[in-house]
Amino acid sequence: PGARGIIDEKEVAILESRMVENAPRYKNTMGEIVGRNDKGVIVKTADTVLAITKVANIQNGILNVPFVPLWPIGKRFKIKGS
């Protein structure tokens, strides 16, 4: 379940996320973490931003314990296989 991505060379499942309402539209690198707070991270998408509030590492196809992502601003999600 959940969208998948690669961060810190680990595959993660995005379990909870939401669109950030009234977010400014601007160009930046898709997948880049552009904000962070104690509830999760804000990630740049094609034309807006997404708040990611719960993820789980995936190991051998199995979801590990879910956690609130607190990766630093500037870190970037990669697409599996790229």
Side-chain angles (χ1 to χ4, degrees), residues 24-72:
R25 294 182 183 267
Y26 64 94
K27 292 187 179 183
N28 201 355
T29 304
M30 272 192 353
E32 185 174 347
I33 296 172
V34 296
R36 174 183 135 163
N37 60 36
D38 61 341
K39 296 177 184 169
V41 294
I42 308 297
V43 178
K44 181 68 179 109
T45 65
D47 60 356
T48 189
V49 293
L50 184 69
I52 298 176
T53 57
K54 188 185 289 184
V55 298
N57 290 325
I58 300 170
Q59 199 167 25
N60 298 321
I62 298 173
L63 292 178
N64 288 339
V65 176
F67 62 95
V68 174
L70 297 175
W71 299 299

